Amino acid sequence: MQQERAVNPYDRFPMVIVEHLIKRFGSFNALSDVNLTVARGEKIVLCGPSGSGKSTLIRCINHIEKHDYGRIVVDGVELTDRIRDINSVRCEVGMVFQSFNLFPHLSVVENCMLAPLKVRGLPQSEALDRAMALLRKVRIHDQAKKYPAQLSGGQQQRVAIARALCMQPKIMLFDEPTSALDPEMVKEVLETMVELANDGMTMVCVTHEMGFAREVADRVVFMDCGSIVEEGDPSTFFRAPNTERARVFLNQIVH
């Protein structure tokens, strides 16, 4: 008789639940009735043409953008207008943007230490140890005392990833993290993201790097005109997409 696998109680609760999400900018519907569930440890790649709502969706998950209708639950906490709920969610969500958003007047290690010191209340020595450990993880520890302007774009983005990880988030959101980089710098950032995925981090990535999607994603979600048009495992999505819109998109970007 086959032995049943022990059930982890946390497996029953998704990391992110998005239900019937609507986001408007004036008369423009950026998101139209979007529904998405992200399991713990799942890696999702959001793809689609510019203006399809990908970045707006992940910005709503972190409440950088306030949604108009619908429901967002992150790690069991529903995002409402209450500051306590917003801050609770933001403490558990790491975000990496297209632009690196590092503080130019702080050194690399100071950038990484700031949030753990101010938000988590870590002692100085513990914040420093954590920052240096994560800078080593992204292979940038030898630049710890430099300032952002002294680094390449790829190095700055790896610092941004380390800074987000210093808060020990439960999920990482990436908003086209390689789009502002020169081609030769893209590889080093993607390698860092692959390692992070292999460590089991829950990730939602907006990216046009389809090689990364093939290698890392558990699920590819294709968006267009503010809606989720299609989703599936990478093998199926890239080999035989279900919709004509997805086929046209892939023909344009996959060579």
Side-chain angles (χ1 to χ4, degrees), residues 11-68:
D11 289 345
R12 301 173 186 169
F13 304 102
M15 181 62 71
V16 178
I17 300 170
V18 175
E19 294 179 340
H20 305 295
L21 200 68
I22 294 175
K23 171 63 183 176
R24 296 184 179 127
F25 295 102
S27 61
F28 174 68
N29 267 8
L31 297 173
S32 303
D33 196 29
V34 170
N35 295 276
L36 180 69
T37 299
V38 182
R40 294 173 187 272
E42 189 175 20
K43 289 81 181 166
I44 289 180
V45 165
L46 298 178
C47 65
S50 297
S52 59
K54 310 178 301 295
S55 294
T56 301
L57 175 55
I58 65 169
R59 289 169 73 89
C60 284
I61 292 172
N62 205 17
H63 206 77
I64 295 172
E65 297 287 354
K66 178 184 174 183
H67 58 285
D68 295 303

Side-chain angles (χ1 to χ4, degrees), residues 97-133:
F97 300 88
Q98 298 178 38
S99 53
F100 320 121
N101 290 351
L102 299 174
F103 295 110
H105 63 290
L106 297 179
S107 68
V108 163
V109 71
E110 288 169 341
N111 264 279
C112 293
M113 292 172 63
L114 185 62
L117 287 170
K118 300 297 185 182
V119 179
R120 298 288 195 196
L122 258 61
Q124 184 90 10
S125 59
E126 188 174 342
L128 176 60
D129 289 345
R130 182 183 296 182
M132 289 305 300

